[in-house]
Amino acid sequence: MNIHSINTHMSKTILITGSSTGIGRATATYFANHGWKVAATMRTPEKESELQTHENIEVFRLDVTDQHSIDAAIASTIEAFGKIDVVLNNAGYGTAGPFEAATKDQVKRQFDTNLFGLFDVTRAALPHFRERKSGLFINISSIGGLVTLPTFSLYHSTKWAVEGFSESLAYELRPLGIHVKLVEPGGVSTDFAGRSLDFLQKEGLTDYDPTIQKITALFSDPERSLSYSSGEQIAEVIFEAATDGKTQLRYLAGDDAKEFWAGRQQLGDDAFHGMITERFLGEG
Ligand SMILES: NC(=O)c1ccc[n+]([C@@H]2O[C@H](COP(=O)([O-])OP(=O)(O)OC[C@H]3O[C@@H](n4cnc5c(N)ncnc54)[C@H](OP(=O)(O)O)[C@@H]3O)[C@@H](O)[C@H]2O)c1
């Protein structure tokens, strides 16, 4: 068996950020069940007891806001599995509420996690990918990286930045044999809308209340969550992106995301903004 055939028979390896719950966790299990070696990274691995019982999964500490932990997790993954083929930038959370109510700290924390953290993980993995002349970054954006709703301006701005970053980086890395893809989930039944939402509120700031009430009513409509995907369904799309060999940049994930995006394209800018205004603010 020559070196080439050894390499092609070696299991592929994926490093995932934010694997403690939700999409990251479902993806770790999905890839491991499909024979991939998985570095399931998370902020508090000491709380994890299940994932590492899978023969294909190793759990490492990685907080995307802590460069030392990023470097250490990448080094541990290469030591454990010999290489990394795919980095899944998944860790993230949302802020919700009127922009005016956001403190500077809330703004900073949102960008530190969803954007600067993703930058730092990407930059740290690049020397390994360049050395191997191959590698794939899959960045979890959101349908909210392509369209917006009221009261999520900070979250959208991080995801729109992830979109622009990923698209430009894809051009830049392609000549080096390295690829970048984006997965855009719609609503997903995870902890995201619960513990992963940071609400922006300011005492005495009541002018936005009618808007907040309308948005809250729309989001808490039980009908709405019927269209949500499961973490496993998003994991399937991530697996397709990792294995289809295509140079496709964007993968919409979930029927709601596909429908929303199709509507956006059919209507064009102004009519789409009018539709969102009517649906979410009740104005024509
Ligand atoms: N759920 C949705 O509707 C939806 C839709 C579109 C896009 N997304 C995106 O999907 C991704 C995953 O979200 P999810 O839905 O799976 O929500 P989730 O279940 O709340 O998972 C979020 C994950 O991110 C981790 N995380 C947060 N800050 C981190 C940090 N500084 N370093 C490392 N990990 C950190 C959390 O870890 P801890 O356990 O340590 O907090 C958790 O594992 C996010 O990027 C989100 O924006 C979600």
Side-chain angles (χ1 to χ4, degrees), residues 147-181:
V147 297
T148 70
L149 299 178
T151 74
F152 294 97
S153 60
L154 288 180
Y155 178 68
H156 286 307
S157 50
T158 63
K159 294 297 188 183
W160 280 53
V162 167
E163 293 281 330
F165 169 69
S166 304
E167 189 173 304
S168 172
L169 195 72
Y171 296 126
E172 185 176 312
L173 296 180
R174 202 168 159 159
L176 310 186
I178 302 166
H179 299 276
V180 183
K181 296 187 174 193

Side-chain angles (χ1 to χ4, degrees), residues 8 26 42 67 71-73 82 98-99 112 115 130 145 163 177 215 230 248 250 253 261 264 272 279:
T8 47
M42 57 190 72
Q67 184 70 52
D71 296 338
F99 168 71
D112 278 346
L115 186 63
R130 271 193 303 104
E163 293 281 330
I215 302 282
S230 64
Q248 181 179 330
R250 291 190 170 85
W261 185 234
R264 169 70 187 76
F272 185 80
R279 198 152 125 198

